[in-house]
Amino acid sequence: MARHCLSKGFTDFSAYNRTSSKLQPLLELGAKQMDSPRAVAENSDVVFTMVGFPSDVRDVILNSEKGVLTGLPKGGIIVDMTTSEPSLAVEISDAASSAGKFALDAPVSGGDVGARNGTLSVFVGGEQDVLERVKPILETFSGTIAHMGPAGCGQHTKAGNQVTICSNMIGMCEGLMYAHAAGLDLGTYLQAISKGAAASFSLTALGPRIIKGDLNPGFYVEHFVKDLGIAVQEAQRMKLGLPGLGLAHQLYLSLLACGDGRLGTQSLIRAIERLNSRKVC
């Protein structure tokens, strides 16, 4: 995502990563390395954040000593692209507003493929006029930008997105298990059903990885468990019964218990294999 920004004209670019070595490709493209989130903000009008967990979001943005909000000049904009808690997005927006600054929650969907291809879907919560100010930057790495409402609505949209994906992932993995047990060629099977009503991003992007035995992460299991946990929490708050979400959450938790947290979400196939004492890949 950062490479798309740099390659499409946004060259006054400061960056920070907790693992400095990960910045090297950006430094080679002209980015300037900073030693803290606050330092990035002090050199920027717009700051994008994307970290792992809500606790990381709170530390990177709201930490009074080294956080983005402290360093950002008045009128500056924070765009948090982490999948996080809607309530935290509202808290950050309120804190920014009180300081004469602005914040958007803007989680994305599309995985590693969407990031590389610049075709991510962005779900934005916050003020429309603030979104318009940063839209030219968002357009460098996205195919769809949707304004979903006030602060927190971007996060609610991402939660709904993950609810939809998780049940789809179960269906894809169970279908592969069924096809394998029936003796079908799995490559031919995927090609056949991807042209019909079963077609989905998960099927076309992750199905082939599964049958090749490629469980490397485009999106970590441990982060997906975090996302589903947020959705479970919000569903409970709204008194919603979502049994598909609950089942998927438990299956992905079982992957964590088996040490698979750093694999990709397609490793759900391992949970289905363990249930059936049968290997697909």
Side-chain angles (χ1 to χ4, degrees):
M1 294 159 68
R3 282 197 296 269
H4 284 299
C5 291
L6 283 161
S7 66
K8 295 175 183 176
F10 293 95
T11 54
D12 186 8
F13 196 101
S14 300
Y16 169 79
N17 193 296
R18 290 170 291 186
T19 306
S20 296
S21 61
K22 292 183 178 180
L23 282 180
Q24 190 57 40
L26 299 182
L27 301 181
E28 293 171 0
L29 293 174
K32 298 185 290 290
Q33 183 172 3
M34 299 294 158
D35 61 5
S36 70
R38 177 175 179 169
V40 172
E42 289 172 342
N43 286 273
S44 307
D45 298 315
V46 180
V47 177
F48 288 80
T49 56
M50 197 170 198
V51 290
F53 296 89
S55 58
D56 300 318
V57 174
R58 182 177 295 279
D59 185 54
V60 166
I61 296 178
L62 297 178
N63 186 296
S64 60
E65 295 182 1
K66 61 180 182 180
V68 169
L69 187 58
T70 298
L72 193 69
K74 286 190 180 297
I77 302 171
I78 300 166
V79 184
D80 181 36
M81 310 199 80
T82 313
T83 299
S84 185
E85 298 164 345
S87 59
L88 180 55
V90 173
E91 181 182 346
I92 290 169
S93 178
D94 289 345
S97 180
S98 297
K101 307 166 189 182
F102 304 94
L104 300 173
D105 50 289
V108 301
S109 182
D112 58 331
V113 174
R116 286 196 302 270
N117 295 340
T119 57
L120 292 168
S121 294
V122 187
F123 314 127
V124 184
E127 299 177 31
Q128 178 75 54
D129 60 334
V130 178
L131 169 57
E132 294 303 319
R133 289 170 57 189
V134 302
K135 186 174 282 187
I137 308 174
L138 293 173
E139 288 173 340
T140 66
F141 54 77
S142 64
T144 302
I145 302 168
H147 181 240
M148 304 307 301
C153 287
Q155 297 296 353
H156 278 302
T157 304
K158 182 58 184 289
N161 182 81
Q162 303 302 68
V163 171
T164 304
I165 288 173
C166 70
S167 291
N168 188 25
M169 289 292 292
I170 293 174
M172 177 184 69
C173 291
E174 289 186 344
L176 284 169
M177 176 59 72
Y178 180 93
H180 173 71
L184 301 179
D185 178 83
L186 294 184
T188 304
Y189 163 77
L190 283 179
Q191 289 178 0
I193 70 168
S194 66
K195 306 301 182 184
S200 69
F201 173 85
S202 297
L203 190 73
T204 56
L206 300 180
R209 296 189 194 184
I210 290 174
I211 64 175
K212 292 175 183 176
D214 177 6
L215 302 183
N216 290 318
F219 194 77
Y220 288 122
V221 164
E222 64 183 12
H223 288 164
F224 200 46
V225 169
K226 176 262 297 182
D227 293 359
L228 297 183
I230 291 170
V232 167
Q233 178 180 322
E234 290 298 317
Q236 289 175 338
R237 184 184 61 81
M238 294 184 284
K239 298 180 173 60
L240 295 177
L242 302 178
L245 167 62
L247 174 59
H249 189 218
Q250 291 297 310
L251 287 171
Y252 274 102
L253 279 171
S254 77
L255 293 178
L256 281 187
C258 292
D260 295 333
R262 300 294 284 180
L263 296 179
T265 52
Q266 70 273 25
S267 65
L268 181 63
I269 193 66
R270 284 193 171 177
I272 303 302
E273 288 174 338
R274 290 173 184 132
L275 282 172
N276 290 280
S277 298
R278 182 190 290 265
K279 294 283 288 183
V280 169
C281 61

